[in-house]
Amino acid sequence: MMAIEQVYRFWDILFKVVAEGKCTEITGMADALNRCREETLALLIGDVIFRYSLVLTELY
C-alpha cells in the first residue's frame, strides 16, 4: 500500500468511528513516527494540521 493510501485509510477508519457515534471526542497519540518514511510522515502531519484547522474554523 502506498503512503498516501495508508494516511487516507487511517482517516477513514477514524472518521467512521466518530460518525457512528461510538466516540464524541478523539485524543490521539502517535508513536514510532521515527520509523515512518519521510513522505508518509509529511502527509500525516500535513493532514493533521489541515483537519485541525477545519475544526477550529467550525468552532470560531
Side-chain angles (χ1 to χ4, degrees):
M1 188 179 296
M2 294 179 62
I4 188 84
E5 291 169 346
Q6 292 172 332
V7 171
Y8 289 144
R9 182 167 160 74
F10 167 77
W11 289 122
D12 285 345
I13 293 168
L14 195 61
F15 281 101
K16 281 180 186 173
V17 169
V18 172
E20 291 172 0
K22 296 179 181 175
C23 177
T24 56
E25 184 175 318
I26 296 175
T27 302
M29 182 177 94
D31 186 20
L33 293 177
N34 61 322
R35 295 184 186 161
C36 290
R37 289 189 208 147
E38 243 181 79
E39 62 271 11
T40 306
L41 185 57
L43 286 169
L44 181 60
I45 292 171
D47 231 16
V48 168
I49 292 168
F50 173 72
R51 291 171 190 273
Y52 187 69
S53 69
L54 291 177
V55 169
L56 288 178
T57 301
E58 289 179 16
L59 292 175
Y60 300 104

